[in-house]
Amino acid sequence: MTTAALLVLGGLAAVAAALIAITAARHPAARRLGIRSARRRPTETALVTLGALLGTAIITGSLVVGDALESSLQAGAFTQLGPVDETVTAPGADALPGLREALSGLEQRRGVDGVAFGLRSRGTVATGIEGGDPMVQPDVQLLEVEFDEARELGDDPATTGLGAAPTPAEGAVAISNDLAEELGVGVGDHITVFAYGQSRSLEVDSVLPRTGLAGYSTDLDARSLNVFLPPGTIQQLAADATEAASPPISLAFVSNQGGVLSGVERTDQITELLEERIEGLPQAEVVASKQRLLDAAEETGAFAEEIFLGIGAFAVIAGILLLVNVFVMLAQERRTQLGIMRAVGMQRTELVRAFVLEGSIYAAAAAVLGSAAGIGVGAAIMRLARGLSIGGGSTPELRFAADPTSVVGGLLVGLLISLATVLATSVRISRLNIIRAIRELPEPPRPPRPVLRTVIGVLAVLLGGAVTVAGLSAGAGSALFVGPAVLAAGIVALVSPLTGRRPAVTVLGLLVVVWGVVVPTLFPDVFRNADVVVFVLQGLVITGAAVVVLARNQDVVGRLVRRVAGGRGSPVARLGLAYPLARPFRTTMTLAMYALIVFTLVLVSLLAQVVGAQPDVFADAESGGYDMLVTSSPSNPLPADAARQIDGVVSIAPLRHASRTVEFRAPGQAEFRRWFASGYDRRFLRAEPPALDRWIASLPDENAVWKHVLDHPSTMILDAQFLEQAGSGQSVQPGDTIQVRDPLTGAQEQRKIVAITKSGLALSGAFMSEDSLVSILGSRLPTNRLYVAVDEQANPRQIASTLQQQHISHGVQAQTFRSIVAERQQQNRQFMRILQGYLMLGLLVGVAGLGVVMVRAVRERRQQIGLLRSVGLQPQTVGRSFMLEASFIALQGIVIGSLLGCATAYQLITNAGAFGGLDVRFQIPWLQIALLLGVTLLASTAAAAWPARRASQIRPAVALRTLE
């Protein structure tokens, strides 16, 4: 949460607190009444506070998760960069002298705190080669750095992580602690380094921590697998390299004046200076390494906040409904008392003050306790999220961190929401008729106001129609839900005097529900990349409309339930249903709480089922006619002929692969973003390429699309995961044109998107012809990715294992496409389970709300129960009626939520393009859904058990003579 937002919230909360304090000081009668009501019934107060604090906990927990993710990624500034703020890169070891000359004396310039130089490449490291049981790390970073020079970076040598370690001498090597743990080696052990078709056996003389330059990495992964070689080694290894190998990268590490984080403030200044210095160097590039890392951290944290706040919004809304329900019940319970107080001179404003002061007690306690609980919620989510990928295959090390501003912000947001709800409800319930309240007569229906109703109806129709039309023209998914709902409300206001309110509400409400469910099917392109807000609005609109329809027809539902529960004459059925049917407002509020939460739980469960239950569908779309993906070291790529010699291999397609070394700018995007790209030739078409979801209309079929890209270098095919980094995926379509840039030279070209694949879990990125990719990046990209097809009788897993064992020196990583999909699906299932657990907090709000309703119902109907008991009604009949009442309310909410959740999931999965063009089947996990709904109903029944028992134990004589 930003400082400005926190100041605004703090100011609003301060104003609210001051007004409440002044009211309490100047109006002692209202103060005593509010405090007395909260203190007299501690159980009910605890239940109300519990329901309200869960909303605050969800808000705080969402903010804390964003903080923790951002902090985890920001930790890379210390662990993987340290004093390094900018990096200057140039391809080839022979570029290093030119870099040194161009940046000579730079450390004397204002704002610069040091410069160090080195080389970087990729390679493979193994142990136990001679013993026949090797430990292999196929992809490590090879670095050459003069340690004494590097220790001069920054104002604190400790931030480099190099300590007192010497620069590796001939025959020695320094490795990162992460690599030492992977290989199980330490100081004095020997490792073998493979690169550029050669190998070196070296002795480990230092193990360095993942700190600063010792942990140098430009990825967001949790590990830094670094090997620091003796100076000159990389150049010697690369001297005889083939053209297929990726050349070493010359590096200049630049440190800005200031600390590890504060030095970033000079990034723009130093970047401009560096670009001036390297202007004459071909293919040299300045990378704002630390600024890029911190930007990615902020973006990822904001995305996490959006996801969890969006999902948690249902529970927060349920908490608001609970507060409204509670205060309406308080007013109803004290109606006679309030009427007497009004009769003896208390003003309506005084009643409002009393209710606001009482509600402020609940709100303050809930905000404080909820913010503390939110910290625990955030910590639990971060623990469950360990090992999750954040996009692009990066798996950072997640650490829990709670920014005090977010905790305070969550507290203030929860407090202000509760206070606003309390104030609005207090004003509403203060409007009572004194005579009717004293005599316990129901309030009369409000007199019709035809002119006002007509004006409101016309305005709603115009507004709803305008929003709907604007949503259709602009492709705004949220407007397509909100607009028709407002339009329907306006039509109800206009036609209900003619048709009656029940038919109008029922018909138009059902139309809103149907529209909300099917609109993603009617406009799939609009909802293909919809954000969380659209999902929240959909849930609110369709569940709200369904609840309104059901509430308007409660008498019909009640008659059906009476028949099922034992007939019209059954005292349990008549008594259990009389109260909820007589109190439609509170019944509707409770129904809405349950429907919202169950809708979300069922929808997430069904989506999780589809993600995890059909791996073959995803694997077939990803692989096409191939069986496995083979990746090798860019410094020593595996020749296709070597892989072809393995028994069972029938077809191989070599690809040049750019792993985040090409930049794209989609339409409407302000900045270039790095992503993957693959260049293929005609060999890729010997087997079936990956399946396509959609393509331009001028091409007849998928095969024609792949051939078209080969023949037209200005075109490309995007994978479905394009630019999937912390939720920054762009809504691109076939026919769009994208800017493509070489980050080293700055040269830009345009590529037209002709198709989008159905899947993208292999992170192949943008598919182009090999000539097209070379024209952008030059020939420095190695052909280190192979798509392999095997014989039908062969075992792809066994062939993958054979390739890895026989080609250790090439750093081969061979995976079947099914294993790639299974790994990614496991990540998705884990994330879905986190969301399901998060949503269970909302279920607690619903259960707590029902508990409050039942406890208050017992209190409110104490004398009625006593009267019924005095005329012969048995205690067990009273208890059963209360249990039926709770089940009646909860079951309706469960049915609405589950039916709408299933219907929405069906539309999203089968028609709306939520899974692209994948031929996924809609499946209901009956056992999981039954368990979920059963637990919900059981928890609801348990919440009513204690109030039902209290009701059955009421003694008639005590109840009839007790006046509260």
Side-chain angles (χ1 to χ4, degrees):
M1 179 170 287
T2 64
T3 303
L6 188 64
L7 289 175
V8 172
L9 292 173
L12 292 174
V15 170
L19 292 175
I20 291 171
I22 292 172
T23 300
R26 296 183 59 183
H27 302 277
R31 182 183 69 242
R32 287 193 296 269
L33 182 61
I35 296 175
R36 172 179 174 271
S37 299
R39 291 179 57 187
R40 284 185 62 198
R41 293 153 186 166
T43 302
E44 291 91 325
T45 300
L47 286 172
V48 174
T49 305
L50 173 63
L53 76 82
L54 288 173
T56 303
I58 289 168
I59 295 171
T60 305
S62 301
L63 297 176
V64 167
V65 168
D67 288 341
L69 275 175
E70 183 174 352
S71 176
S72 297
L73 299 182
Q74 282 182 347
F78 295 88
T79 61
Q80 296 178 317
L81 290 174
V84 178
D85 293 287
E86 295 86 27
T87 309
V88 184
T89 66
D94 54 355
L96 189 58
L99 273 183
R100 285 187 178 275
E101 182 179 354
L103 302 181
S104 175
L106 183 67
E107 63 274 10
Q108 306 300 323
R109 295 293 298 268
R110 182 180 178 182
V112 179
D113 207 15
V115 183
F117 298 88
L119 289 173
R120 181 185 71 203
S121 187
R122 309 297 298 186
T124 301
V125 174
T127 64
I129 297 295
E130 297 81 4
D133 187 19
M135 292 286 293
V136 181
Q137 186 53 243
D139 188 21
V140 301
Q141 183 170 231
L142 308 179
L143 293 165
E144 283 184 17
V145 180
E146 289 284 353
F147 283 10
D148 289 338
E149 182 182 55
R151 274 188 281 263
E152 296 298 319
L153 291 172
D155 55 4
D156 184 3
T159 61
T160 65
L162 300 175
T167 303
E170 188 68 26
V173 68
I175 64 175
S176 65
N177 184 63
D178 291 334
L179 181 58
E181 291 180 354
E182 286 288 327
L183 298 176
V185 299
V187 175
D189 293 328
H190 284 77
I191 64 172
T192 303
V193 178
F194 300 93
Y196 299 104
Q198 302 182 57
S199 64
R200 293 285 190 276
S201 180
L202 305 168
E203 181 181 347
V204 178
D205 70 349
S206 300
V207 176
L208 306 174
R210 191 190 336 128
T211 302
L213 200 60
Y216 177 74
S217 175
T218 55
D219 293 328
L220 299 175
D221 284 321
R223 303 178 304 168
S224 294
L225 303 178
N226 292 341
V227 175
F228 291 88
L229 297 169
T233 304
I234 293 179
Q235 195 162 6
Q236 293 171 10
L237 292 171
D240 299 325
T242 65
E243 291 185 1
S246 178
I249 302 296
S250 296
L251 300 171
F253 304 103
V254 181
S255 178
N256 301 345
Q257 288 181 353
V260 171
L261 294 179
S262 60
V264 179
E265 298 173 2
R266 300 178 180 270
T267 294
D268 292 341
Q269 169 196 343
I270 304 304
T271 297
E272 184 177 351
L273 174 61
L274 291 172
E275 289 175 343
E276 292 176 359
R277 288 292 192 99
I278 66 170
E279 190 172 352
L281 296 179
Q283 296 187 327
E285 179 197 17
V286 178
V287 180
S289 304
K290 194 172 294 178
Q291 184 65 65
R292 181 179 292 176
L293 181 147
L294 296 178
D295 288 345
E298 183 178 358
E299 187 179 69
T300 303
F303 177 65
E305 285 183 14
E306 180 185 354
I307 287 289
F308 285 97
L309 278 174
I311 293 296
F314 293 97
V316 174
I317 293 169
I320 293 174
L321 296 177
L322 172 59
L323 281 176
V324 173
N325 212 4
V326 165
F327 273 84
V328 170
M329 291 188 70
L330 286 175
Q332 189 65 35
E333 178 187 341
R334 305 172 191 169
R335 193 160 173 265
T336 302
Q337 175 188 354
L338 297 177
I340 294 173
M341 295 172 67
R342 289 278 286 115
V344 298
M346 177 175 279
Q347 300 297 313
R348 177 177 295 167
T349 54
E350 199 72 9
L351 286 182
V352 174
R353 293 187 186 106
F355 273 107
V356 168
L357 290 175
E358 180 180 352
S360 300
I361 297 173
Y362 302 145
V368 173
L369 296 175
S371 60
I375 298 174
V377 170
I381 291 174
M382 293 306 295
R383 179 177 294 276
L384 293 172
R386 287 178 181 174
L388 282 180
S389 170
I390 62 169
S394 298
T395 307
E397 181 180 11
L398 299 182
R399 306 175 179 181
F400 174 70
D403 190 331
T405 59
S406 292
V407 177
V408 174
L411 184 151
L412 294 176
V413 171
L415 178 63
L416 290 172
I417 289 175
S418 298
L419 291 177
T421 304
V422 166
L423 177 60
T425 310
S426 298
V427 171
R428 178 187 181 278
I429 61 181
S430 66
R431 297 172 180 173
L432 53 84
N433 182 284
I434 298 175
I435 302 300
R436 289 180 175 274
I438 294 175
R439 300 180 64 183
E440 296 189 5
L441 298 175
E443 292 290 334
R446 293 184 180 181
R449 299 179 180 179
V451 175
L452 179 61
R453 181 172 54 200
T454 302
V455 170
I456 293 176
V458 170
L459 292 176
V461 168
L462 293 176
L463 178 61
V467 170
T468 303
V469 172
L472 289 172
S473 60
S478 56
L480 295 182
F481 291 122
V482 175
V486 176
L487 177 64
I491 296 175
V492 168
L494 293 176
V495 305
S496 57
L498 302 175
T499 63
R501 191 160 186 83
R502 185 202 295 259
V505 169
T506 302
V507 173
L508 288 166
L510 291 176
L511 287 176
V512 170
V513 172
V514 173
W515 170 265
V517 172
V518 304
V519 68
T521 304
L522 301 176
F523 306 98
D525 291 339
V526 173
F527 295 92
R528 194 179 303 278
N529 296 94
D531 57 21
V532 180
V533 174
V534 176
F535 164 70
V536 173
L537 286 174
Q538 181 187 28
L540 290 177
V541 167
I542 63 177
T543 55
V547 167
V548 169
V549 171
L550 191 61
R552 179 55 61 177
N553 294 276
Q554 280 290 283
D555 55 340
V556 177
V557 178
R559 285 195 294 270
L560 293 175
V561 173
R562 285 194 191 103
R563 291 171 183 168
V564 174
R568 294 178 177 271
S570 170
V572 172
R574 293 183 66 83
L575 183 60
L577 298 180
Y579 193 70
L581 295 178
R583 298 289 186 268
F585 181 82
R586 68 184 65 176
T587 301
T588 303
M589 293 292 102
T590 311
L591 278 178
M593 285 190 292
Y594 270 87
L596 282 172
I597 300 304
V598 173
F599 166 82
T600 319
L601 280 169
V602 170
L603 180 60
V604 171
S605 299
L606 291 172
L607 294 179
Q609 169 71 13
V610 172
V611 167
Q614 302 175 63
D616 289 346
V617 174
F618 292 86
D620 291 342
E622 186 67 54
S623 61
Y626 293 93
D627 298 285
M628 71 177 68
L629 180 67
V630 178
T631 304
S632 54
S633 172
S635 67
N636 191 24
L638 177 69
D641 291 339
R644 194 174 286 111
Q645 296 174 6
I646 303 295
D647 290 339
V649 173
V650 296
S651 180
I652 290 181
L655 279 73
R656 291 182 184 265
H657 185 61
S659 180
R660 286 206 186 98
T661 52
V662 62
E663 297 180 330
F664 299 88
R665 184 170 65 190
Q669 187 176 335
E671 299 178 353
F672 281 90
R673 292 180 181 273
R674 296 195 177 195
W675 195 242
F676 306 89
S678 297
Y680 67 95
D681 58 22
R682 296 197 179 275
R683 288 173 288 182
F684 195 48
L685 306 185
R686 292 175 182 173
E688 183 181 349
L692 301 181
D693 176 19
R694 54 197 188 277
W695 54 88
I696 57 177
S698 59
L699 297 174
D701 53 37
E702 297 185 34
N703 190 47
V705 173
W706 289 101
K707 289 180 179 179
H708 181 85
V709 173
L710 281 177
D711 297 334
H712 298 80
S714 62
T715 62
M716 65 180 178
I717 297 170
L718 294 182
D719 73 357
Q721 306 292 322
F722 181 63
L723 293 181
E724 183 210 57
Q725 177 66 38
S728 60
Q730 302 298 314
S731 179
V732 292
Q733 302 295 333
D736 292 345
T737 298
I738 284 185
Q739 297 290 326
V740 185
R741 184 173 70 180
D742 182 350
L744 291 181
T745 65
Q748 297 184 30
E749 296 188 18
Q750 290 186 339
R751 293 291 182 269
K752 179 181 178 181
I753 304 169
V754 296
I756 296 176
T757 67
K758 288 186 177 181
S759 184
L761 302 183
L763 298 178
S764 294
F767 286 98
M768 311 177 196
S769 69
E770 184 174 325
D771 293 339
S772 176
L773 189 59
V774 168
S775 72
I776 298 171
L777 299 180
S779 58
R780 67 179 184 269
L781 280 181
T783 306
N784 70 322
R785 177 169 274 211
L786 305 175
Y787 273 63
V788 179
V790 303
D791 187 84
E792 292 183 359
Q793 307 302 321
N795 185 337
R797 292 181 180 273
Q798 185 175 354
I799 293 177
S801 177
T802 301
L803 280 169
Q804 292 184 161
Q805 292 174 5
Q806 292 186 2
H807 299 285
I808 291 175
S809 63
H810 293 282
V812 168
Q813 300 180 72
Q815 289 180 281
T816 65
F817 283 104
R818 275 169 172 70
S819 66
I820 293 173
V821 168
E823 182 179 342
R824 188 62 178 269
Q825 285 186 321
Q826 176 60 32
Q827 295 260 330
N828 290 334
R829 283 195 297 269
Q830 184 179 349
F831 181 69
M832 290 292 188
R833 284 195 293 269
I834 293 173
L835 292 183
Q836 286 174 315
Y838 196 63
L839 285 169
M840 293 304 289
L841 294 175
L843 183 59
L844 287 178
V845 175
V847 172
L850 184 60
V852 171
V853 168
M854 299 310 299
V855 169
R856 290 291 183 184
V858 173
R859 177 76 62 179
E860 181 180 340
R861 293 148 60 187
R862 183 179 179 87
Q863 289 187 336
Q864 298 173 15
I865 294 171
L867 181 60
L868 291 172
R869 289 276 291 110
S870 67
V871 297
L873 196 67
Q874 296 301 309
Q876 59 268 27
T877 303
V878 174
R880 289 171 186 166
S881 68
F882 271 85
M883 296 298 291
L884 175 62
E885 179 179 332
S887 301
F888 173 70
I889 297 173
L891 193 57
Q892 288 183 87
I894 290 171
V895 169
I896 292 175
S898 57
L899 290 178
L900 292 180
C902 289
T904 304
Y906 177 80
Q907 292 294 329
L908 290 174
I909 292 167
T910 60
N911 298 319
F915 291 92
L918 293 174
D919 187 21
V920 294
R921 298 185 307 276
F922 176 71
Q923 298 179 348
I924 297 179
W926 293 106
L927 180 60
Q928 181 181 352
I929 297 298
L931 181 62
L932 173 66
L933 300 183
V935 168
T936 303
L937 186 58
L938 183 63
S940 305
T941 306
W946 180 65
R949 184 170 179 272
R950 287 187 59 188
S952 66
Q953 293 177 341
I954 291 176
R955 291 188 294 174
V958 175
L960 290 175
R961 70 168 181 260
T962 300
L963 181 62
E964 295 199 24

